[in-house]
């Protein structure tokens, strides 16, 4: 068994699990000759397929990431030729849309999504609770009461404001 981070290093363990999952999905992409495609692109592609071209702000909301994270992902996807940016309703807004190249890749990407979803179901069968349920429960609990508040409640209050 691979060495795991210590149990108290929860953030490190979460990153480790994400690296294990995303790393193997990235291997699948490379095997499918999609070396420029990243696991983080799939939620963007799925949102754009479902809703059509979107401003980055709306895309970020649809995917569940920050505006900054969405902007970075869109920039990478643009460099890979998967999305185009066009002017939006005003000069500050840019719409993100899928390119013909992205549409050409959809059969392969869709097959990977299906296989990955099935693989996740088999992984879930080995766990005491499906991973998505646990992560959803975790995100909900942290939204309800942020971790910083929990740290303060455990005895380490936030420092006073700087003057």
């Amino acid at each position: 068994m691979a060495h795991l981070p210590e149990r108290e290093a929860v953030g490190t363990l979460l990153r480790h699990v994400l690296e294990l999952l995303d790393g193997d999905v990235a291997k699948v992409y490379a095997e499918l000759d999609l070396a420029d495609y990243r696991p983080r692109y799939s939620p963007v592609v799925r949102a754009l397929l479902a809703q059509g071209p979107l401003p980055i702000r709306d895309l970020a909301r649809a995917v569940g990431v920050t505006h900054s994270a969405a902007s970075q992902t869109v920039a990478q996807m643009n460099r890979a030729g998967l999305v185009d940016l066009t002017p939006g309703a005003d000069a500050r807004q840019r719409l993100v849309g899928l390119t013909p190249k992205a549409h050409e890749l959809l059969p392969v990407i869709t097959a990977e999504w299906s296989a990955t979803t099935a693989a996740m179901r088999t992984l879930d069968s080995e766990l005491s609770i499906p991973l998505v349920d646990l992560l959803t429960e975790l995100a909900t609990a942290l939204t309800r009461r942020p971790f910083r508040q929990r740290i303060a409640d455990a005895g380490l209050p936030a420092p006073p404001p700087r003057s």
Side-chain angles (χ1 to χ4, degrees):
M1 183 170 158
H3 179 72
L4 295 176
E6 63 181 84
R7 290 181 59 87
E8 289 77 21
V10 175
T12 302
L13 185 57
L14 285 169
R15 282 186 291 281
H16 179 69
V17 168
L18 183 59
E19 288 169 6
L20 290 171
L21 293 171
D22 277 358
D24 279 347
V25 172
K27 288 177 188 174
V28 170
Y29 295 143
E31 292 164 2
L32 295 171
D33 290 328
L34 296 175
D36 290 338
Y37 195 86
R38 305 283 178 264
R40 68 190 294 181
Y41 297 173
S42 290
V44 172
V45 171
R46 292 173 78 106
L48 294 174
L49 282 173
Q51 300 180 44
L54 292 170
I56 292 176
R57 179 191 71 246
D58 295 346
L59 181 60
R61 191 175 305 119
V63 174
V65 298
T66 64
H67 184 278
S68 176
S71 292
Q72 291 173 10
T73 299
V74 165
Q76 291 173 338
M77 293 178 74
N78 183 258
R79 284 191 297 275
L82 299 171
V83 296
D84 282 327
L85 299 167
T86 57
D90 65 50
R92 298 170 299 177
Q93 189 181 67
R94 295 181 301 162
L95 294 177
V96 181
L98 295 174
T99 63
K101 177 182 177 179
H103 283 281
E104 288 173 19
L105 296 176
L106 281 178
V108 176
I109 294 169
T110 302
E112 178 275 320
W113 289 340
S114 295
T116 298
T117 300
M120 196 67 229
R121 278 192 224 107
T122 66
L123 177 59
D124 282 343
S125 73
E126 298 177 36
L127 305 175
S128 60
I129 178 175
L131 184 58
V132 69
D133 292 347
L134 177 61
L135 293 174
T136 301
E137 188 177 337
L138 177 62
T140 300
L142 291 172
T143 300
R144 185 175 49 248
R145 191 162 145 240
F147 202 56
R148 180 61 187 105
Q149 182 61 50
R150 294 166 191 270
I151 292 169
D153 294 347
L156 188 62
R162 295 179 189 211
S163 51

